[in-house]
């Protein structure tokens, strides 16, 4: 309200100065005396109306009526004090009243349109609250309400996709838990049978350990992924020489029956700022995936180089590749691309992405003529 009063007084002073320049001091004083009180009164009444929040349409009509009344009162005062001809005064007041009436009509029309759009947004949000996700708002134009409607549609679409991902996640977890639990139940029932001899009992115990280990690993991965996505894990970052880290990781994963591993990292590669244990886990995940889907006569190459946004690492293989339809989803939890499904839970790439993004980097699939190429970046050290 204080700002409104200052604007009303400043506008009255400006009008008075203009009258002084064009006419004289008396005209300036008369202009100020007529404009300032009516302007301040309109601001005070308008502020009171807006504070009561009785509805957009009612407030718009009342504000229009206040503005029209101010204009009529001001013109009437000017006419009474400055006009000599009653004929001119009559037609001046008549024309002002006509313009004020049209202004009220325009305000009512605008309030109806805005209120209609607001009610459409309100109804859509109520439908979303009741569970609908196919909401489309019939709001056209380029004003603020239209932009609000578009944001609501984007929010609903994001909510629908989040719910779909959650449902897929629940289904995937249920599937990955059901298989080992069913096996565990059958093994326990078999062990409970006195007919099983000692050799079979030991074999069953070995299978039990395997399934329990798989369940424990799955639960640990799920827990870690949830904490990574929630931003609850923090590591102490340090300057990491990726050349040594890459060589150490690759040497630990070399097997005679696996694809050939190649390291292509320059000696003078700039260090990265990272948590070495976590980046080594990312490398393990990517290299293990590459080896698993590359024949023994193929190759897996690990490269690193300086990039515009830090240091870039690539793990490329000559394996079966990933179908185009699956490339956008390979970093989702539990998703396994068709040709590269392998019976694992499908959390390795999701955890790798969470680790890389927690470092401030990004990870993606690079287009490749053959096989698969996964790249990620880390901030420079």
């Amino acid at each position: 309200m204080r700002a409104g009063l200052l604007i009303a007084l400043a506008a009255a002073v400006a009008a008075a100065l203009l009258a002084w320049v064009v006419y004289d001091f008396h005209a300036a004083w008369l202009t100020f005396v007529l404009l300032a009180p009516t302007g301040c009164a309109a601001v005070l009444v308008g502020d009171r109306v807006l504070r009561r929040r009785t509805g957009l349409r009612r407030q718009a009509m009342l504000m229009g009526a206040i503005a029209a009344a101010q204009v009529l009162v001001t013109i009437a005062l000017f006419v009474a004090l400055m006009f000599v001809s009653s004929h001119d005064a009559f037609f001046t007041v008549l024309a002002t009243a006509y313009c004020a009436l049209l202004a009220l009509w325009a305000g009512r029309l605008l309030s109806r349109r805005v209120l209609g759009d607001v009610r459409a947004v309100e109804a859509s949000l109520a439908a979303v609250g009741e569970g609908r996700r196919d909401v489309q708002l019939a709001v056209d134009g380029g004003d603020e309400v239209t932009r609000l409607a578009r944001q609501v549609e984007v929010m609903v679409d994001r909510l629908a996709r989040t719910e779909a991902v959650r449902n897929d996640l629940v289904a995937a977890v249920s599937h990955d838990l059901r298989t080992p639990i069913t096996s565990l139940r059958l093994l326990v029932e078999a062990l409970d049978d006195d007919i099983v001899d000692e050799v079979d009992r030991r074999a069953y115990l070995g299978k039990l350990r395997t399934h329990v280990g798989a369940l424990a690993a799955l639960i640990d991965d799920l827990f870690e992924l949830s904490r990574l996505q929630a931003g609850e894990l923090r590591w102490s970052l340090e300057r990491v020489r990726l050349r040594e880290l890459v060589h150490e990781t690759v040497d630990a994963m070399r097997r005679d029956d696996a694809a050939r591993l190649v390291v292509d990292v320059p000696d003078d590669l700039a260090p990265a700022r990272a948590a070495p244990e976590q980046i080594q886990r990312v490398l393990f995940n990517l290299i293990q995936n590459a080896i698993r889907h590359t024949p023994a006569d193929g190759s897996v190459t690990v490269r690193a180089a300086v990039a515009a946004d830090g240091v870039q690492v690539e793990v490329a293989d000559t394996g079966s590749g990933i179908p185009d339809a699956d490339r956008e989803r390979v970093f989702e939890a539990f998703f396994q691309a068709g040709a590269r499904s392998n019976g694992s839970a499908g959390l390795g790439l999701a955890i790798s992405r969470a680790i890389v993004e927690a470092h401030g980097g990004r990870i993606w699939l690079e287009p490749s003529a053959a096989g698969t190429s996964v790249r990620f970046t880390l901030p420079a050290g």
Side-chain angles (χ1 to χ4, degrees), residues 98-160:
Y98 174 77
C99 293
L101 180 63
L102 289 182
L104 284 172
W105 172 82
R108 181 174 181 273
L109 193 65
L110 177 61
S111 68
R112 285 177 60 186
R113 180 180 179 277
V114 172
L115 191 59
D117 291 344
V118 170
R119 285 175 175 168
V121 174
E122 180 185 13
S124 299
L125 289 175
V128 172
E130 294 172 357
R132 287 185 53 191
R133 298 295 180 262
D134 56 343
V135 173
Q136 293 292 329
L137 281 75
V139 178
D140 298 322
D143 57 10
E144 290 80 357
V145 179
T146 304
R147 290 197 291 271
L148 174 63
R150 298 289 85 81
Q151 290 174 0
V152 169
E153 289 181 342
V154 171
M155 178 201 70
V156 174
D157 180 66
R158 186 179 297 126
L159 179 62

Side-chain angles (χ1 to χ4, degrees), residues 167-183 215 218 222 334 336 341-346:
N167 293 336
D168 291 343
L169 181 62
V170 171
V173 171
S174 300
H175 177 271
D176 279 72
L177 290 177
R178 184 185 297 114
T179 301
I181 288 175
T182 301
S183 299
L215 281 175
L218 173 60
L222 277 172
F334 289 101
Q336 298 185 37
S341 60
N342 52 67
S344 65

Side-chain angles (χ1 to χ4, degrees), residues 80 122 201 212-213 245 263 298 367:
E122 180 185 13
R201 186 181 298 274
V212 170
L245 188 67
V263 176

